[in-house]
């Protein structure tokens, strides 16, 4: 005998673009997203009995996404994810949970002749803003905001020494090294009981604060290790955002190796004389952590 122990379905890779037009000023603002919707509920018979009557078609989910985008702001993406999830849980009695993931792509307004252009934009990097939400019937809205693909580097101000050594250790200690990583940072919000409660939060300001803390700490911290620096980032974000319950980072250590050129006419290119390096793709270190609050959970 067998039984269905997990079931979730929906529409992935919904491409969504919205433009807001200010008729008075002529200024237009654009947002582009990629949306995933996955539904859970009393849908097991669609798997076990070929009963499609319980299936809210994935095309219906896509069209709903477009209609709700027309009727609601889609930025900040946290609010739009909450709108989508709430709709599916409230609209269909047999759907009890909706998972929504939104990737917001960068479009930065161009500056032309020293002035912001009213309707032209550029993609100034691969960094993305990500939201993962779960709306559950009777339990509220869970939201997680993320920064991904934010590539950073500093040419000094990083060290790594005093680490454990044994017969397997070859790595030398260093008091000055290049530090580079592709930032993946996330922060988990308190559970919101209602859509209105979630929509009252300034998610854009929170995202900007978390990004600013990440960049400033990376740049200014005299880093003893990636671990020590990322903990400082988490600690500061928790202090700045009282409705956030946990902060996590995943930072790959992108290595740049010195090149010994002494074989050619005695050129010095190691230690304090190193100016030419070989960037490495892999293998790489990967450092992760999650930092939570001590004591009671965050409250409004």
């Amino acid at each position: 005998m067998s039984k269905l122990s997990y079931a979730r379905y929906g529409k992935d890779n919904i491409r969504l673009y919205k433009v807001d037009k200010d008729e008075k000023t002529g200024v237009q603002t654009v947002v582009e997203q990629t949306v995933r919707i996955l539904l859970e509920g009393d849908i097991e018979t669609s798997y076990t009995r070929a009963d499609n009557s319980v299936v809210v078609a994935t095309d219906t989910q896509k069209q709903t996404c477009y209609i709700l985008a027309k009727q609601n702001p889609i930025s900040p993406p946290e609010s739009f994810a909450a709108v989508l999830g709430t709709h599916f849980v409230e609209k269909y009695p047999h759907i009890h949970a909706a998972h929504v993931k939104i990737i917001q792509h960068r479009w930065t307004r161009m500056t032309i002749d020293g002035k912001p252009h009213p309707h032209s934009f550029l993609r100034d990097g691969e960094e993305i803003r990500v939201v993962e939400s779960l709306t559950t019937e009777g339990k509220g809205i869970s939201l997680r905001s993320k920064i991904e693909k934010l590539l950073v580097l500093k040419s000094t101000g990083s060290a790594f020494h005093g680490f454990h050594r044994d017969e397997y250790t070859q790595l030398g200690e260093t008091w000055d090294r290049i530090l580079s990583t592709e930032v993946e940072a996330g922060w988990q919000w308190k559970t919101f009981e209602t859509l209105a409660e979630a929509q009252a939060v300034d998610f854009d300001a929170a995202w900007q604060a978390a990004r600013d803390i990440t960049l400033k700490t990376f740049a200014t911290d005299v880093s003893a290790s990636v671990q020590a620096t990322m903990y400082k980032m988490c600690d500061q974000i928790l202090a700045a955002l009282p409705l956030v319950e946990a902060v996590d980072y995943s930072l790959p250590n992108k290595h740049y190796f010195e090149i010994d050129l002494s074989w050619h006419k005695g050129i010095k290119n190691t230690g304090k004389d190193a100016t030419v390096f070989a960037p490495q793709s892999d293998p790489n270190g990967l450092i992760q952590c999650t930092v939570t609050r001590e004591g009671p959970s965050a409250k409004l």
Side-chain angles (χ1 to χ4, degrees), residues 250-271:
S250 180
L251 302 180
N253 199 345
K254 294 183 173 294
H255 301 295
Y256 288 72
F257 290 166
E258 295 178 357
I259 304 172
D260 185 355
L261 298 176
S262 61
W263 59 272
H264 183 76
K265 300 180 180 180
I267 293 177
K268 296 180 179 180
N269 192 59
T270 58

Side-chain angles (χ1 to χ4, degrees), residues 54-157:
V54 297
V55 176
V56 180
T58 65
D59 186 73
T60 301
Q61 296 177 40
K62 179 187 71 174
Q63 301 301 339
T64 300
C65 180
Y66 292 146
I67 292 168
L68 292 178
K70 181 66 175 180
Q71 296 173 338
N72 298 271
I74 69 170
S75 185
E78 289 88 348
S79 293
F80 187 51
V83 167
L84 285 169
T86 300
H87 168 85
F88 287 108
V89 170
E90 292 185 349
K91 174 70 174 177
Y92 304 102
H94 68 293
I95 299 298
H96 306 310
H99 301 256
V100 178
K101 179 179 179 180
I102 297 178
I103 299 171
Q104 187 154 301
H105 306 280
R106 287 181 70 83
W107 284 120
T108 301
R109 190 176 302 278
M110 290 185 186
T111 299
I112 305 297
D113 296 330
K115 297 179 181 179
H117 197 273
H119 58 255
S120 295
F121 307 84
L122 62 91
R123 182 158 294 169
D124 55 347
E126 295 305 311
E127 177 190 358
I128 53 176
R129 178 175 175 176
V130 179
V131 173
E132 298 167 344
S133 78
L134 170 59
T135 304
T136 307
E137 183 181 17
K139 294 183 179 180
I141 303 166
S142 171
L143 288 168
R144 183 167 180 253
S145 304
K146 295 184 71 180
I147 297 168
E148 292 187 12
K149 298 184 179 181
L150 175 57
L151 186 61
V152 294
L153 177 149
K154 63 179 181 180
S155 55
T156 189

Side-chain angles (χ1 to χ4, degrees), residues 10 43-44 111 169 173-174 246 254-255:
I43 58 174
E44 60 273 10
T111 299
T169 305
E173 296 186 329
T174 180
K254 294 183 173 294
H255 301 295

